[in-house]
Amino acid sequence: RFGYYRKSFFFGELNVVWWHWLDFFLVIDGVVFGAVSLEGGSSARLAGSLQYLRILRYLRVVKLVHTVFESNLAWTESDMFQTFIMAIICLNAIVMGAEVQHPELKEIWRLLEHLFLLIFSFELAEVQ
């Protein structure tokens, strides 16, 4: 990406370059954290402090969501996508029935519920 953007990689429109700065900071943080963790001793305390900065990795999810909603979502109006959503709704109903019959598979049901929630949230957000 640096080759594509060249001089405007770190300097330019704020809504574009701040993502590059975030990625750059996370890479530097990872390198420093790895180097400090290997040394041990008093450096271990610094590594513990740097670990809190790693929370910023979750901002990458924001970047992904931003990219999705800035893109062209016209394909969500197609019959194929609508059929996919209907199939997910039917599959969700089947899973709910199976969940009642087999409550011992709690972790699998939880994972599937989160997957359905993600798909339904995307479908609702694209309608807005």
Side-chain angles (χ1 to χ4, degrees), residues 31-66:
V31 169
V32 170
F33 181 78
V36 169
S37 296
L38 291 176
E39 285 191 27
S42 63
S43 299
R45 209 173 312 153
L46 177 61
S49 299
L50 287 174
Q51 194 169 11
Y52 290 112
L53 294 176
R54 301 186 85 161
I55 292 173
L56 293 175
R57 288 180 171 186
Y58 293 109
L59 287 177
R60 287 185 172 185
V61 174
V62 174
K63 179 180 179 182
L64 176 66
V65 169
H66 173 75

Side-chain angles (χ1 to χ4, degrees), residues 14-97:
L14 185 63
N15 65 339
V16 174
V17 299
W18 94 271
W19 297 112
H20 301 161
W21 279 104
L22 174 67
D23 288 340
F24 177 74
F25 176 76
L26 289 174
V27 167
I28 296 299
D29 176 56
V31 169
V32 170
F33 181 78
V36 169
S37 296
L38 291 176
E39 285 191 27
S42 63
S43 299
R45 209 173 312 153
L46 177 61
S49 299
L50 287 174
Q51 194 169 11
Y52 290 112
L53 294 176
R54 301 186 85 161
I55 292 173
L56 293 175
R57 288 180 171 186
Y58 293 109
L59 287 177
R60 287 185 172 185
V61 174
V62 174
K63 179 180 179 182
L64 176 66
V65 169
H66 173 75
T67 302
V68 166
F69 288 114
E70 289 293 317
S71 64
N72 182 5
L73 298 176
W75 56 272
T76 59
E77 299 298 324
S78 70
D79 289 338
M80 194 164 137
F81 180 76
Q82 297 301 322
T83 303
F84 170 74
I85 292 298
M86 288 301 296
I88 292 297
I89 291 171
C90 293
L91 185 60
N92 190 18
I94 292 168
V95 167
M96 287 170 54

